[in-house]
Amino acid sequence: MTSESYIFLAGASRGVGREIANCLTAQQLKVKALLRTETAATELQATGVKTILGDAMNVSDVEAAMLTNEPIHTVISTIGGLPTDTEKPDYPANKNLIDAAIKAKVQKFILVTSIGTGNSVGALSPQALAALQSVLVEKDKAEQYLIASGLTYTIIRPGGLKTEPATGNGVLTEDTSIVGSIHRADVAQWVCRCLNNNRTNNKILSAVDKNMLFGQIEFAPFSLD
């Protein structure tokens, strides 16, 4: 990364996205975030993030935010919907971001989805799958679109998310059968570590806390070294 390049963050108003913003600014990296509300923008501006008001579901908003004379090194998206959402942003919003990232010639695209997406569907219990199925289908479409885009990507699939301080016990794995919980702050730390790590290029990785696994406890962690 050059000192002039930005990390472009979508989904920074809450949850994992907000934790990623905190992690990036703590490293003095230049962060630009696309946000839908003035309130979220004001809060992030106070931490040194450059904010742009817009909706990732709107192609023109995304292009206006990304296709500028300020180079973007990496796009990070944590955009996701709820099973109760009538219109789920998981695929259309991320498709808009991926298309704009290609035009902006970004170096990497990091997409945060969830365990249960794609070939990790077998990790979920039938009850969890029934509850999340409608969202997981959209997340899978987003993952597949990114993989086919030609961009260098990292896809991170967290387990069940908790809003508590980082434990430092989060791990990444290519094992698609693993499932468990993880704190949002731990997910954010892994996302930030993947930024400039070539070992994570074109990888799909599940993220769990090694002390909060469900069922199977033996698996091979993914090493960034």
Side-chain angles (χ1 to χ4, degrees):
M1 278 186 63
T2 69
S3 59
E4 296 307 308
S5 298
Y6 277 88
I7 307 298
F8 188 92
L9 186 55
S13 62
R14 59 186 173 84
V16 173
R18 175 58 69 89
E19 295 288 350
I20 291 170
N22 294 342
C23 181
L24 294 173
T25 53
Q27 295 178 45
Q28 269 90 50
L29 293 170
K30 293 174 73 170
V31 184
K32 186 186 288 190
L34 180 67
L35 299 156
R36 287 184 296 174
T37 68
E38 288 276 10
T39 305
T42 303
E43 290 172 1
L44 279 169
Q45 283 165 8
T47 69
V49 173
K50 180 171 183 173
T51 61
I52 298 143
L53 284 179
D55 189 339
M57 294 285 276
N58 187 321
V59 174
S60 59
D61 285 0
V62 173
E63 291 194 342
M66 289 177 61
L67 304 181
T68 70
N69 59 1
E70 295 170 326
I72 295 168
H73 181 275
T74 302
V75 175
I76 301 172
S77 175
T78 64
I79 287 178
L82 302 170
T84 50
D85 291 343
T86 309
E87 189 177 22
K88 296 174 178 61
D90 303 75
Y91 174 61
N94 282 311
K95 178 182 183 297
N96 290 342
L97 291 162
I98 292 162
D99 288 342
I102 293 167
K103 292 180 181 178
K105 295 181 170 57
V106 305
Q107 301 299 303
K108 194 168 189 175
F109 194 113
I110 301 176
L111 177 63
V112 179
T113 58
S114 70
I115 287 177
T117 306
N119 63 356
S120 66
V121 65
L124 297 187
S125 68
Q127 296 89 341
L129 184 57
L132 298 172
Q133 178 93 45
S134 61
V135 168
L136 294 175
V137 167
E138 297 301 306
K139 289 186 187 300
D140 182 53
K141 284 161 67 175
E143 286 190 0
Q144 294 305 317
Y145 194 79
L146 176 58
I147 291 164
S149 71
L151 290 168
T152 298
Y153 65 85
T154 302
I155 294 169
I156 295 181
R157 299 169 172 166
L161 294 165
K162 295 178 177 290
T163 306
E164 293 164 45
T167 66
N169 295 318
V171 289
L172 299 178
T173 181
E174 291 184 271
D175 189 330
T176 56
S177 63
I178 207 74
V179 68
S181 296
I182 186 167
H183 292 186
R184 288 177 170 86
D186 285 303
V187 177
Q189 288 185 6
W190 278 114
V191 169
C192 293
R193 289 179 66 186
C194 287
L195 265 180
N196 294 309
N197 191 296
N198 291 335
R199 291 209 72 223
T200 66
N201 288 354
N202 305 325
K203 292 288 187 180
I204 302 176
L205 302 164
S206 293
V208 289
D209 188 301
K210 62 187 178 185
N211 295 332
M212 293 190 283
L213 300 173
F214 307 155
Q216 174 193 348
I217 55 172
E218 294 296 324
F219 66 96
F222 183 83
S223 171
L224 267 59
D225 299 325

